[in-house]
Amino acid sequence: MDRSHPAPEGAGGTPPDLSRFSAWILTDGKAGDENQCIGIAESLSLKAEIRRIPRGRPLVWTAPWGPIDPRDAPGRAGGLLAGAMPDLLIASGRRAVPYLRAIRRASGNRTFTAFLKDPRTGHDTADFIWVPDYDDLRGPNVFTTLTAPHPVSQARLQAARRAPDPRLAALPWPRIAVLVGGNSRHLSYGQADMQRLVADLTKLAEGGCSLMLTVSRRTPPALRTALQALAKTHGGFFWDGTGDNPYIGMLALADQIVVTSDSANMVGEAASTGVPLLLFDLPKTYIRHRRMFAGLAMAGALKPFIGRLEELHYAPLDATPEIASALAASFARHRGRLAGAPGTTDSPAGGPNRTGGF
């Protein structure tokens, strides 16, 4: 499954329908991690139950190697892992690794475990692991792609185009989606960076572009204020957190997309649209993310943002269905091994027997 030379994104076809199986999504609640898991679950038609590791657990600092909090032990009433173990677990984030191990033990390895991103504890931590191409982890159960999984599906984009958000549809062409991240442990926005971004976006607005802006919880307040003022001055749209989240609609209606380099997830989601991506580069951008950006540039999808629009042509890049198909194939092999093991039946983990194979 380790692929040094990945096939084109989206080459995996339509993933199978796994809706008859039970599934959990397990993270510590970080939106980036959870959204990746949701994207995979939705591609497989899984009605996954989302479980989040409670804040303030005293043992999370020992993750990924340490134990789980005893209050969360499998079978403990009211605990995070209470109830019958699921057929599938999709997890992400360092704090989720001990919980994944606990579920494997509690289910007698019947629960199929999938982990998104490097768990830092080796490729045999889970039955299936996805990592981006730029990560170093490799193994027989490790699947890699250029971009990350996400819930920005073609179906969602098409639906947003058929019934456009009136706040966005009223804006004149060309419409430019502007996706702004914020400070992280890898980098922070300096004053010069913020001034440069506002100045370059002002060039677009003064040139007749309609800006559709959204920011992150991590966006510095000064930058947020400046962007909001820019939209008001030039008749653009700035999402202030009220009303429905326009993110999908912005991507669906955008003629081009400006995205900041601090968020590989946003860049990957933007690439699923097939419209030109303009990357606002920040100093100290995570070096591994730069490898992804280089791959997108080689695919003809991305150029640096320097205050002007660019002509780029590429097919939408979405690895989510491909990753989901690979996970489903691994799940089928897992269930086949269970069915063939002495004293076992092909039944859901922790649940009643079911007839028929996968």
Side-chain angles (χ1 to χ4, degrees), residues 12-358:
T14 302
D17 184 331
L18 303 188
S19 57
R20 75 183 186 92
F21 297 101
S22 62
W24 290 356
I25 287 172
L26 179 64
T27 70
D28 65 0
K30 288 189 180 69
D33 292 341
E34 191 171 286
N35 283 339
Q36 289 184 358
C37 297
I38 290 171
I40 294 296
E42 290 182 345
S43 288
L44 295 169
S45 303
L46 289 166
K47 298 176 177 63
E49 180 181 345
I50 295 177
R51 300 200 176 196
R52 300 185 180 107
I53 300 166
R55 294 181 180 273
R57 287 298 195 246
L59 294 175
V60 295
W61 67 271
T62 66
W65 294 103
I68 68 172
D69 190 289
R71 290 171 289 181
D72 296 329
R76 185 182 178 92
L80 180 64
L81 305 185
M85 294 293 100
D87 297 317
L88 295 94
L89 171 72
I90 306 174
S92 185
R94 173 180 60 86
R95 293 179 178 86
V97 175
Y99 289 83
L100 180 150
R101 286 198 299 265
I103 289 170
R104 291 184 98 177
R105 289 193 299 268
S107 71
N109 289 322
R110 294 186 61 78
T111 294
F112 176 84
T113 54
F115 196 85
L116 306 183
K117 297 190 295 193
D118 188 347
R120 308 299 178 190
T121 49
H123 72 82
D124 56 352
T125 297
D127 297 301
F128 175 91
I129 294 175
W130 167 83
V131 297
D133 287 341
Y134 57 73
D135 266 4
D136 297 328
L137 182 67
R138 295 296 184 268
N141 62 325
V142 177
F143 194 73
T144 73
T145 56
L146 176 61
T147 59
H150 54 75
V152 184
S153 65
Q154 293 304 306
R156 279 204 169 101
L157 291 171
Q158 291 166 9
R161 291 174 185 131
R162 287 193 301 268
D165 187 324
R167 298 171 295 177
L168 308 176
L171 298 173
W173 177 92
R175 304 182 188 104
I176 312 302
V178 182
L179 317 179
V180 180
N183 298 331
S184 69
R185 63 189 179 93
H186 297 300
L187 61 82
S188 59
Y189 282 61
Q191 187 66 28
D193 302 319
M194 294 188 284
Q195 291 174 346
R196 178 167 57 95
L197 176 58
V198 172
D200 286 346
L201 290 173
T202 300
K203 293 177 187 176
L204 293 185
E206 291 178 344
C209 295
S210 295
L211 303 183
M212 305 180 293
L213 300 115
T214 184
V215 297
S216 163
R217 290 187 295 260
R218 300 180 289 108
T219 303
L223 178 56
R224 178 189 176 95
T225 299
L227 294 174
Q228 192 165 16
L230 176 61
K232 183 176 181 180
T233 299
H234 293 280
F237 172 81
F238 178 90
W239 189 50
D240 60 5
T242 61
D244 294 337
N245 189 331
Y247 185 71
I248 298 292
M250 288 172 57
L251 294 179
L253 299 183
D255 297 292
Q256 302 208 5
I257 299 173
V258 175
V259 58
T260 56
S261 66
D262 55 284
S263 175
N265 280 347
M266 287 197 306
V267 174
E269 290 165 352
S272 69
T273 64
V275 306
L277 304 185
L278 308 178
L279 184 73
F280 180 78
D281 189 54
L282 290 154
K284 297 184 180 179
T285 293
Y286 196 32
I287 187 62
R288 293 188 176 185
H289 291 173
R290 291 194 186 280
R291 298 179 196 170
M292 169 189 162
F293 304 152
L296 289 171
M298 291 177 65
L302 178 148
K303 282 188 177 182
F305 177 53
I306 53 174
R308 69 187 186 199
L309 303 183
E310 301 285 356
E311 186 172 356
L312 293 166
H313 302 281
Y314 69 99
L317 302 173
D318 184 2
T320 309
E322 187 181 0
I323 299 166
S325 293
L327 187 156
S330 183
F331 175 62
R333 291 191 293 272
H334 175 82
R335 292 188 70 80
R337 287 192 295 270
L338 290 179
T344 65
T345 59
D346 184 20
S347 60
N353 291 344
R354 294 182 184 174
T355 59
F358 168 66

